[in-house]
Amino acid sequence: MYKIVISFFLFISPVLLKANDGYKLWLQYLPFENIAVADYYRDYLENITLLGNSPTHEVIRKELGISITGFFEGRTTPNISSDNTNSGLIWIAKAEDLPESFRNLLGERLNEINDEGYLIKYIQGKILVTSNSDFGLLYGTFALLKNIQTRGKLEGLDILENPKIKLRLLNHWDNLNRTVERGYAGFSIWNWHRLPHHIDQQYIDYARANASIGINGASVTNVNANALVLTPEYLEKAAALADAFRPYGIKIYLTARFNAPMMLDNLPTADPLDPRVQAWWKKKAEEIYSYIPDFGGFLVKADSEGQPGPHNYSRTQADGANTLADAVKPYGGIVMWRAFVYNEKTPTDRIKQAYDEFKPLDGKFRDNVIVQVKNGPLDFQPRELFHPLFGAMPNTPLMMEFQVTKEYLGQESHWVNLASMWEEILQSDTYAKGKGSTVSKVLDGSLHQYNLTGMAGVSNIGTDRNWTGHHTGQADWYAFGKLAWNPESNVGEITEDWLKMTFSNDPDFVNSAKNISLKSYETLVNYMTPLGLHHIMARSHHWGPGPWVTGGGRDDWTATYYHRADKNAIGFDRTENGSNALGQYAPEWKKVWGDPETTPLEFLLWFHRVSWNQKLSTGNTLWDEMAMRYQQGVEGARWMANEWAKLEGKIDQERYSHISSFLNIQVKEAEWWRDSCLLYFGQFSGRPLPKGVEKPKHDLEYYLNFKRNFVPGI
Ligand code: BDP
């Protein structure tokens, strides 16, 4: 048997031979690359003791089985003992189940583990994985497996991890008919028609993947909500999902349509202060909890983009949120109330409206409400400043909403490492309590002592075999979970771990792919929206450039509203002389961003109108700088494709080719962005393209008339 293994390893790495469609995500449990590595882990993995009995323990046992089968390619039978006198080398048990001798060895450290946390400690030749809860134990097991997947040493392991954020949720914008709003990886994975009777294996694999990165909640329906999901027909189905997810520590949340009392039961009003409406929500909550005893609560989009809300009754967002919060309170439920509230009839700059509306309500929400705020004040643009509400609501818990699906960032076919963008936001200083008051500290509750903390990611998952369309979209899902667990996590490490677990531990591959990944974000910003440009995507589907988008029903959905280009200048004056959106930030920032000279070029046109021939800190005029950045973006995309091409043969051909093919799309679309934006803005600047910037392939007419039918995700 040994011989067979050796000869197999010596000839060719089996990983390269096998087709790989990416379904297994980062839980590939790739075979050990050589006999020495296999031998190193063998003794441990062949001697595991798992103590305790619960559905989550069953999940742990299964995961160990799957991973060991993968690591040894089925050549080792997983032998997991539940005997506490066993001489296992890996012990996995809650602290209360550990033999006393181990507990004594761990001593004080045990007290440092919180509810969902875990400790992995190498002690006297054994590895102990312990926790206070079943879910902590599951997270600890995944952490140990990650260590092995990334080929970490076992001796000396000493990892104590507690999640810094309590609510770590995916938000699915999935409709009951299985289309996905802003979804680019096929249809919704929730097959409502087959539920509750059929629990698809994909739901289980979804739960495994989420648990492996610490995600503990899923809001399964679109924020543009359909009230039907609150009817018995759908509650029964949602309950089946909740049952499937429970052992993995994942709670179900539903989106609540604000006027559901009217839609479902013909109430004459949905006024949150009307006693009939309040009674309706209470009864509805009671009903929901009868189906799903650990139902997480509601996610609500109100008074935004046509969704009904408290405005319809001249009530505040707090009035609305509190009515729903009171209904779920007796059962331990919460309400995530979105701050994405704006209206085309409100005359102020769109990016100011959420702050204007919510800031005065600070402290007016029930203690089981958390306000969910998008990372920036506009709408998931390639680059935005952090939302000014962060730091401005000391008495109301705020949670982050990131968009994992790339509505405005090339959708499924562009490789852009979203974690780089998220890190930029998380590390931004709000100055709410002086220097160092980062967004990350707002979110983890340490800045304002929030009782609830949370982070939500708008999911990029669909029925595509690889879940996310682009294989690298999996990295964004993975990184989201990691940053929700700990917003201070290092993005380079996250990227590296993901690459190793997903593709290969070959250092040449990992280093090059990591380099591509970490440069991808800036590259995309350059070829789409350099210098603080924003919202210049095509109308409605947001795929591709559309700086010419103007007119129509809503000014705040056009590009011209945001870039305001004319013969003299371009940009949105948001200083005191303009919309004064700047006024919503701390004085420290007002100083920096109030003056075009000190505003970083990344945000120049976000805050200022700048004349085309203005000299910038780079020594170039604004026009030349813009053109050069678009060119740099294109060159960056080409560089990514070339670097990737060098990796052929280092991973399986199937995924290599898929990514290659998408990189070709990315390069073409980067050129499309550059050419069309420069032709369009060039009409205003009236200046020639600077040296080094390639001539557009077509004329402006061509781009203006370029249309595609049935772009996905609307
Ligand atoms: C925008 C999307 C829209 C969403 C909305 C939201 O274009 O489809 O419904 O955000 O977050 O980005 O509610």
Side-chain angles (χ1 to χ4, degrees):
M1 150 92 172
Y2 230 38
K3 264 198 192 132
I4 304 174
V5 177
I6 291 175
S7 56
F8 204 82
F9 277 128
L10 282 181
F11 282 118
I12 186 146
S13 164
V15 176
L16 296 183
L17 289 177
K18 284 194 188 134
N20 193 327
D21 58 17
Y23 178 80
K24 291 186 186 170
L25 299 161
W26 49 90
L27 300 176
Q28 297 277 331
Y29 303 124
L30 298 167
F32 292 125
E33 48 278 26
N34 61 47
I35 200 75
V37 174
D39 278 349
Y40 175 68
Y41 293 106
R42 183 185 311 277
D43 284 349
Y44 291 98
L45 289 172
E46 285 184 349
N47 287 293
I48 300 179
T49 302
L50 170 65
L51 300 180
N53 243 321
S54 76
T56 302
H57 283 80
E58 245 344 277
V59 164
I60 293 174
R61 183 180 300 280
K62 274 204 194 129
E63 199 65 31
L64 291 168
I66 298 172
S67 60
I68 292 170
T69 306
F71 291 143
F72 295 102
E73 293 183 279
R75 294 185 182 85
T76 283
T77 320
N79 170 26
I80 300 157
S81 163
S82 50
D83 170 3
N84 78 351
T85 58
N86 179 284
S87 59
L89 290 183
I90 296 178
W91 283 70
I92 301 174
K94 284 195 281 185
E96 63 189 36
D97 295 331
L98 275 177
E100 195 163 340
S101 55
F102 286 157
R103 278 214 302 274
N104 291 341
L105 282 172
L106 294 173
E108 281 302 299
R109 306 268 345 249
L110 288 177
N111 303 332
E112 294 169 38
I113 313 173
N114 78 10
D115 238 18
E116 293 180 293
Y118 59 84
L119 170 65
I120 306 179
K121 178 103 181 126
Y122 180 85
I123 226 164
Q124 299 185 348
K126 297 184 194 315
I127 296 159
L128 306 184
V129 180
T130 194
S131 67
N132 292 323
S133 66
D134 291 347
F135 302 141
L137 205 61
L138 179 61
Y139 297 147
T141 305
F142 274 118
L144 176 65
L145 290 174
K146 183 191 108 180
N147 192 270
I148 299 173
Q149 286 172 282
T150 54
R151 306 296 185 252
K153 275 242 165 307
L154 299 177
E155 292 79 30
L157 269 182
D158 188 351
I159 306 172
L160 197 147
E161 282 272 337
N162 289 315
K164 293 215 164 133
I165 290 192
K166 284 185 203 153
L167 303 160
R168 307 178 296 277
L169 266 83
L170 283 187
N171 286 183
H172 295 265
W173 286 358
D174 293 16
N175 297 311
L176 298 177
N177 66 3
R178 299 195 69 185
T179 55
V180 181
E181 176 141 352
R182 310 311 179 183
Y184 312 101
F187 288 89
S188 169
I189 63 171
W190 319 127
N191 190 325
W192 293 100
H193 186 64
R194 291 183 191 156
L195 282 165
H197 305 297
H198 175 68
I199 295 297
D200 202 87
Q201 179 60 34
Q202 192 168 13
Y203 306 157
I204 305 298
D205 292 329
Y206 165 87
R208 287 175 53 224
N210 276 340
S212 78
I213 51 177
I215 287 175
N216 65 1
S219 168
V220 291
T221 45
N222 193 352
V223 285
N224 296 316
N226 187 332
L228 276 180
V229 80
L230 303 179
T231 60
E233 177 188 350
Y234 282 95
L235 289 176
E236 195 189 5
K237 296 167 189 281
L241 282 180
D243 291 344
F245 295 164
R246 191 165 295 113
Y248 298 85
I250 297 163
K251 279 190 185 176
I252 286 273
Y253 298 76
L254 295 174
T255 46
R257 193 173 171 86
F258 192 74
N259 64 357
M262 298 166 78
M263 303 203 61
L264 299 181
D265 284 313
N266 294 320
L267 258 62
T269 173
D271 179 351
L273 299 192
D274 186 306
R276 290 165 299 179
V277 172
Q278 295 176 338
W280 188 90
W281 282 108
K282 288 200 166 125
K283 217 164 144 254
K284 188 46 78 183
E286 188 185 346
E287 188 184 11
I288 296 174
Y289 280 93
S290 73
Y291 284 92
I292 312 172
D294 55 354
F295 175 61
F298 295 125
L299 168 63
V300 187
K301 170 176 179 177
D303 293 318
S304 174
E305 302 179 337
Q307 294 297 299
H311 282 177
N312 302 44
Y313 310 96
S314 307
R315 307 295 186 198
T316 69
Q317 299 300 307
D319 294 332
N322 291 344
T323 292
L324 272 69
D326 289 343
V328 292
K329 173 84 177 170
Y331 314 94
I334 60 152
V335 169
M336 292 165 291
W337 192 268
R338 297 178 84 225
F340 186 63
V341 176
Y342 71 104
N343 191 312
E344 75 278 21
K345 298 201 180 76
T346 309
T348 32
D349 180 358
R350 170 173 159 189
I351 76 159
K352 291 180 68 180
Q353 295 179 25
Y355 179 100
D356 287 348
E357 174 132 12
F358 280 82
K359 169 82 182 143
L361 298 175
D362 188 23
K364 301 222 156 66
F365 293 88
R366 298 283 192 266
D367 64 0
N368 59 332
V369 175
I370 184 162
V371 173
Q372 182 165 314
V373 184
K374 289 189 182 185
N375 56 283
L378 182 49
D379 189 12
F380 299 137
Q381 295 303 295
R383 179 170 265 137
E384 282 191 50
L385 285 173
F386 66 94
H387 201 297
L389 277 173
F390 293 115
M393 301 278 279
N395 302 308
T396 304
L398 300 184
M399 66 187 280
M400 174 63 80
E401 180 175 313
F402 283 133
Q403 197 183 42
V404 191
T405 191
K406 298 190 298 251
E407 174 181 356
Y408 295 96
L409 289 94
Q411 305 185 349
E412 85 283 21
S413 54
H414 293 218
W415 180 350
V416 42
N417 190 44
L418 294 183
S420 306
M421 165 167 85
W422 298 335
E423 182 180 45
E424 205 171 281
I425 295 286
L426 293 167
Q427 293 311 322
S428 298
D429 203 337
T430 67
Y431 288 102
K433 288 189 170 177
K435 201 168 162 46
S437 305
T438 57
V439 171
S440 142
K441 288 188 183 141
V442 175
L443 295 176
D444 71 17
S446 59
L447 199 71
H448 305 303
Q449 278 71 53
Y450 289 159
N451 65 321
L452 280 176
T453 55
M455 198 188 280
V458 179
S459 160
N460 60 349
I461 297 169
T463 47
D464 271 17
R465 189 60 195 161
N466 70 8
W467 302 79
T468 52
H470 203 306
H471 285 284
T472 66
Q474 299 177 358
D476 301 325
W477 176 8
Y478 177 86
F480 168 75
K482 290 286 165 183
L483 288 168
W485 179 276
N486 177 5
E488 297 288 325
S489 306
N490 179 292
V491 167
E493 272 167 36
I494 293 178
T495 309
E496 190 169 323
D497 286 344
W498 176 78
L499 285 164
K500 288 180 175 173
M501 292 192 275
T502 307
F503 293 106
S504 162
N505 277 284
D506 171 356
D508 288 346
F509 170 80
V510 174
N511 292 337
S512 300
K514 180 177 167 187
N515 196 17
I516 299 174
S517 191
L518 294 183
K519 294 198 169 126
S520 60
Y521 173 54
E522 208 59 54
T523 297
L524 175 129
V525 173
N526 277 334
Y527 66 67
M528 281 192 182
T529 53
L531 297 170
L533 286 170
H534 48 284
H535 213 293
I536 55 169
M537 291 73 193
R539 198 191 281 280
S540 169
H541 55 60
H542 301 155
W543 173 65
W548 44 80
V549 170
T550 196
R554 291 188 63 150
D555 211 22
D556 56 352
W557 284 357
T558 65
T560 49
Y561 174 93
Y562 296 100
H563 66 64
R564 303 179 176 221
D566 64 20
K567 295 254 177 260
N568 303 316
I570 178 171
F572 198 139
D573 185 352
R574 293 193 163 112
T575 66
E576 276 175 343
N577 306 324
S579 80
N580 201 21
L582 181 60
Q584 297 179 335
Y585 289 94
E588 288 85 343
W589 284 129
K590 282 181 210 152
K591 244 169 77 191
V592 178
W593 297 331
D595 178 353
E597 293 283 318
T598 52
T599 304
L601 292 184
E602 284 65 36
F603 293 110
L604 186 62
L605 304 179
W606 182 275
F607 279 120
H608 303 284
R609 273 189 78 62
V610 182
S611 74
W612 292 108
N613 57 5
Q614 174 70 45
K615 267 247 161 50
L616 305 182
S617 53
T618 54
N620 299 318
T621 62
L622 175 72
W623 167 249
D624 284 358
E625 186 68 29
M626 180 184 287
M628 284 152 88
R629 289 197 180 207
Y630 272 112
Q631 176 68 24
Q632 267 167 34
V634 169
E635 284 167 12
R638 289 179 188 149
W639 173 86
M640 288 169 67
N642 288 337
E643 285 299 292
W644 183 255
K646 295 181 194 156
L647 301 178
E648 181 160 20
K650 295 206 178 288
I651 61 165
D652 56 280
Q653 191 64 30
E654 187 174 358
R655 287 184 295 173
Y656 166 79
S657 300
H658 195 281
I659 293 178
S660 248
S661 160
F662 273 24
L663 277 164
N664 288 336
I665 298 178
Q666 185 165 0
V667 170
K668 287 206 177 70
E669 293 190 1
E671 290 167 351
W672 173 30
W673 269 95
R674 177 199 60 194
D675 292 352
S676 55
C677 289
L678 290 180
L679 280 169
Y680 172 78
F681 290 128
Q683 305 175 100
F684 302 104
S685 85
R687 270 149 241 268
L689 292 173
K691 224 171 118 228
V693 178
E694 290 161 41
K695 273 177 75 151
K697 292 209 171 74
H698 304 277
D699 60 9
L700 182 59
E701 271 315 289
Y702 170 88
Y703 296 107
L704 293 177
N705 293 320
F706 181 89
K707 297 238 162 22
R708 284 291 176 266
N709 294 306
F710 306 121
V711 177
I714 305 179

